[in-house]
Amino acid sequence: MSPTRRSFLKHASFASFSLWIPKTFAEATATKLARSMPEAEGVSSKAILDFLDAVAREKFELHSFMMLRHGKVIAEGWWEPYGPELVHTMYSMSKSFTSTAVGFAVAEGKMSVEDKVVSFFPDDLPAKVSENLAAMRVKDLLTMSTGNEKEPTQTCVKEENWVRTFLAQNIAHQPGAQFMYNSAATYMCSAIVQKVTGKTVLEYLTPRLFEPLGISGMRWETCPRGINTGGWGLSIQSEGLAKFGQLLLQKGQWNDKQLLPAAWIEEATRFHIQQPGEDKKDRPKAKNDWLQGYGYQFWRCQNKAFRGDGAFGQFTIVLPEQDAVIVMTSENKNMQGQLDLVWNHLLPALDAKSPQAADLSRLKTLLLAPPKGRKTLPDITNKSYKLETNDLGLKTASFAFEGGQCVFKADEHTITCGLESWLRGEAAFPGTPPRLISGGKPRSAVPSKIAASATWMDDSTLVMTWRYYETPHSDTLTCKFDGEQVTISFLNSITAMNPKAKDARVPLKGRIA
C-alpha cells in the first residue's frame, strides 16, 4: 500500500477539502443532465436497439433504462406504467448512497474508516465485548467483512433496537478477513452517520448530494428508532441514479464544484476484498460479476467497471474507460443475465469505431403489456359479496364493470382496473405491496401507487394485475366465480419467481350478500 493511501485510510481528514453546499434553490436545481444523440457521442444506436430486442427476446422485465456518454444522456426509456418522474424502490442499490454519506462524514472530519464500531455505541454493547467485536472498524462494515458467524439482518429487523441486536451477534472471524454479504452492516453505517451528524442519512445527504445534483422526491425507510435502513429502503428516480453515477465517474465533481473528494471516490470504488467463489461449469469466475471484488458498498465488475446494485436488477453501472454510465431499474431474478446483455450489446456500442445510426423512437413507446384474455363480460357484474373471516380483515368485496373499467372494492379500498389496459390510482390495500424484507416496513398502512388492469380468462375467471409502479413488484389476483360464491387468490411477483414458494395471503372466499 502506498504511503498516500495509508495516510488516507488512517487519517481521512481532508484538511484541504472545502465542502460545497448550494446556497440557493436555483443553484441547486440548475443541474439537469444534458441530452445528446448516440452517434454524436461515438455510440451506435443500432446496438442500443439490439439491446432492447435482447431484453424482449430473453423476457427480462425492465422498468427504466438510461445510458450516458461524456456526461450526456444518449438513450432513455421507461416501460409504461413506469415513468421518469416516478421514484423506484432501490433495495441494495441504497448501500452505495449510504457509503457516500460515510464519505461526506469522513471528509468533514466527523469520523474515520479506521474508527472502531463499538466506540459509537457504548450504551448498546453486550455485557462482554469479544476481541473480534472490539476490533471491528467502520471499514469492515463498508467492505462487508465484519466477521459475523451468520448474516444478521433478518435477526436484527425483528427487534426494536437493531444496533444493540447487531452488536450482540457472534463475531466468529477476524474482521476484515472474509467477505460475507451483510445488509445489517450497512445499516450500522447509517446509524454511525446519524450518531456523528445528528441527522439521518437522507437528511445529511440532501444538502450535500441530492440538492447539488438537482434530485428531489427521494424517500428512505427507517428502523423503529428513526434511523434510515441504510442497506435498503431508498426510493429515487432513474435520473437520480444517472446523476449519482455521473458524479462517481467525475470523481466527486459536479458543475465545476468538488462535492466529495476524488480520493474518497477512488477508495470507495476500488477493489478491497475478494468474494468467495471459483469457476463453475456454466460460468468462469472471470465472467461472474459477483466475484470481481468489493469496495465500500460498490461491486467491481468485468471490463474494469464498478456498480451499485439492488435486488431484482436495480443498477448504476459506471464504466470509467468508456466515460459512460448505464442505469436500469427492473424486476428480474437473473441479475447476471441482465448484466450480460449490457456487456454483449451496450459495451460494444461504446467501443464502436463506425457507429451505426438507427431509429430510437421505440424508447418512447415501451410498455409492460397487461395480460390479455377477453373483454366480454359474463353476467356476474355489479355484485357484492360477504367475505368469510380472513387474515386481511376484509368483510365485503364487490365488482362493477362500466365504461371499459372494472371497479373492485373491498371494504373502504377501491382499485379501478382498465380492461386490458393500465389505469393508475392509489390504495392502501391490506397485505400490499409485496416486499423482500420486513425491516423498515411502515407500521401503519400507507397508500401505494397502483397501475391496475383486468381481463377475463373464461366465463368464470377474472384476473386482475396490480403493478405497484414505485416498486419493482406486482400482484396477480385470480377471481373464480361459482354460482353465488367467489374465491380471490393472490400471487405476488416475488413468489412467482420461485415455483416452490406460496403467497402468504390466504385466498378470500365470499358469497353474494
Side-chain angles (χ1 to χ4, degrees):
M1 182 184 294
S2 69
T4 301
R5 178 162 286 160
R6 187 179 295 111
S7 177
F8 168 88
L9 286 171
K10 184 175 181 180
H11 303 292
S13 61
F14 300 111
S16 62
F17 175 70
S18 177
L19 182 72
W20 180 78
I21 298 177
K23 298 180 177 62
T24 67
F25 179 80
E27 186 178 34
T29 57
T31 54
K32 184 174 174 61
L33 289 170
R35 264 63 178 174
S36 184
M37 299 300 293
E39 283 69 34
E41 308 305 325
V43 179
S44 172
S45 294
K46 184 180 183 303
I48 296 173
L49 287 183
D50 290 342
F51 168 77
L52 295 176
D53 288 340
V55 166
R57 182 176 61 253
E58 299 185 28
K59 299 187 181 339
F60 282 90
E61 182 182 301
L62 264 62
H63 300 158
S64 71
F65 161 68
M66 296 185 74
M67 187 171 181
L68 285 66
R69 186 78 185 284
H70 306 323
K72 300 173 183 177
V73 179
I74 58 170
E76 57 187 319
W78 284 260
W79 280 255
E80 179 71 23
Y82 293 87
E85 75 283 2
L86 301 167
V87 299
H88 194 284
T89 301
M90 289 294 106
Y91 282 117
S92 289
M93 179 67 233
S94 309
K95 291 177 169 69
S96 301
F97 286 89
T98 301
S99 167
T100 302
V102 172
F104 278 108
V106 169
E108 294 174 21
K110 298 181 183 298
M111 60 182 289
S112 162
V113 297
E114 295 294 333
D115 289 340
K116 300 297 191 291
V117 174
V118 295
S119 69
F120 297 101
F121 307 107
D123 297 333
D124 290 310
L125 298 177
K128 183 179 180 181
V129 175
S130 70
E131 183 177 340
N132 284 341
L133 176 60
M136 188 191 299
R137 305 161 297 174
V138 173
K139 180 181 179 181
D140 302 322
L141 298 174
L142 289 167
T143 57
M144 293 197 181
S145 58
T146 56
N148 283 88
E149 180 182 23
K150 298 178 180 179
E151 207 285 341
T153 304
Q154 293 299 334
T155 299
C156 291
V157 300
K158 293 175 182 177
E159 304 299 330
E160 182 79 12
N161 188 329
W162 297 5
V163 169
R164 183 172 296 168
T165 305
F166 179 90
L167 295 171
Q169 301 306 300
N170 181 28
I171 308 302
H173 311 287
Q174 178 184 350
Q178 298 180 22
F179 176 91
M180 182 177 70
Y181 198 77
N182 191 332
S183 291
T186 320
Y187 166 78
M188 292 297 290
C189 291
S190 175
I192 290 170
V193 169
Q194 186 159 333
K195 193 81 169 181
V196 301
T197 68
K199 299 179 183 298
T200 66
V201 164
L202 180 59
E203 292 168 340
Y204 184 62
L205 284 178
T206 294
R208 292 163 175 81
L209 177 70
F210 296 127
E211 287 181 355
L213 270 58
I215 302 170
S216 60
M218 54 282 166
R219 304 190 298 266
W220 208 319
E221 295 174 347
T222 64
C223 77
R225 298 169 66 227
I227 300 167
N228 286 141
T229 47
W232 66 96
L234 174 66
S235 294
I236 192 171
Q237 301 92 341
S238 301
E239 185 149 353
L241 291 183
K243 290 177 176 179
F244 181 54
Q246 189 62 33
L247 177 73
L248 296 169
L249 183 61
Q250 294 169 181
K251 297 190 177 181
Q253 190 174 85
W254 194 261
N255 286 351
D256 299 323
K257 304 288 186 180
Q258 194 70 39
L259 302 187
L260 191 60
W264 173 265
I265 303 293
E266 292 170 358
E267 192 67 19
T269 60
R270 76 171 180 87
F271 180 106
H272 279 273
I273 192 167
Q274 179 63 55
Q275 306 94 331
E278 299 299 334
D279 292 340
K280 295 182 179 179
K281 289 183 179 180
D282 60 341
R283 184 171 294 273
K285 181 177 178 180
K287 295 291 185 180
N288 188 326
D289 284 294
W290 276 261
L291 297 179
Q292 303 307 307
Y294 197 72
Y296 290 171
Q297 309 287 288
F298 290 93
W299 297 88
R300 297 296 304 177
C301 304
Q302 301 174 58
N303 307 299
K304 299 181 181 179
F306 64 87
R307 72 184 188 278
D309 74 29
F312 305 105
Q314 324 315 318
F315 286 110
T316 303
I317 307 166
V318 181
L319 299 104
E321 292 198 349
Q322 289 77 23
D323 194 24
V325 175
I326 296 170
V327 163
M328 295 178 285
T329 60
S330 53
E331 186 181 40
N332 293 306
K333 183 178 181 179
N334 182 6
M335 292 172 62
Q336 179 64 69
Q338 189 172 341
L339 284 174
D340 288 343
L341 297 185
V342 172
W343 308 141
N344 293 338
H345 299 284
L346 299 181
L347 181 62
L350 293 165
D351 294 331
K353 295 181 179 179
S354 300
Q356 292 180 268
D359 182 5
L360 291 180
S361 59
R362 189 196 313 176
L363 285 165
K364 299 179 181 179
T365 59
L366 298 169
L367 171 70
L368 297 176
K372 302 289 185 180
R374 65 190 196 193
K375 297 181 182 179
T376 55
L377 307 179
D379 186 24
I380 54 174
T381 62
N382 306 318
K383 293 181 179 178
S384 181
Y385 297 82
K386 182 179 179 181
L387 299 175
E388 297 177 3
T389 301
N390 57 81
D391 293 342
L392 300 181
L394 299 172
K395 293 180 170 54
T396 63
S398 66
F399 301 83
F401 297 87
E402 54 188 28
Q405 300 177 357
C406 166
V407 181
F408 172 71
K409 293 184 179 180
D411 293 357
E412 73 274 19
H413 311 289
T414 301
I415 297 178
T416 303
C417 307
L419 290 179
E420 299 187 353
S421 64
W422 298 118
L423 280 183
R424 289 181 176 178
E426 286 192 11
F429 195 86
T432 68
R435 54 185 295 136
L436 188 61
I437 185 169
S438 63
K441 180 180 179 180
R443 293 188 174 184
S444 56
V446 176
S448 296
K449 288 183 168 61
I450 302 175
S453 177
T455 189
W456 289 96
M457 305 312 293
D458 56 47
D459 284 348
S460 61
T461 308
L462 175 74
V463 172
M464 293 186 289
T465 304
W466 299 350
R467 282 197 170 273
Y468 307 93
Y469 57 89
E470 289 190 332
T471 84
H473 307 308
S474 63
D475 264 324
T476 298
L477 284 75
T478 301
C479 310
K480 296 283 292 186
F481 299 90
D482 183 10
E484 294 188 346
Q485 300 180 8
V486 66
T487 301
I488 304 172
S489 302
F490 299 87
L491 179 63
N492 71 67
S493 56
I494 301 175
T495 302
M497 292 182 179
N498 183 355
K500 296 182 180 180
K502 186 178 180 180
D503 197 296
R505 293 165 292 183
V506 175
L508 302 175
K509 295 184 178 182
R511 181 178 293 273
I512 290 178

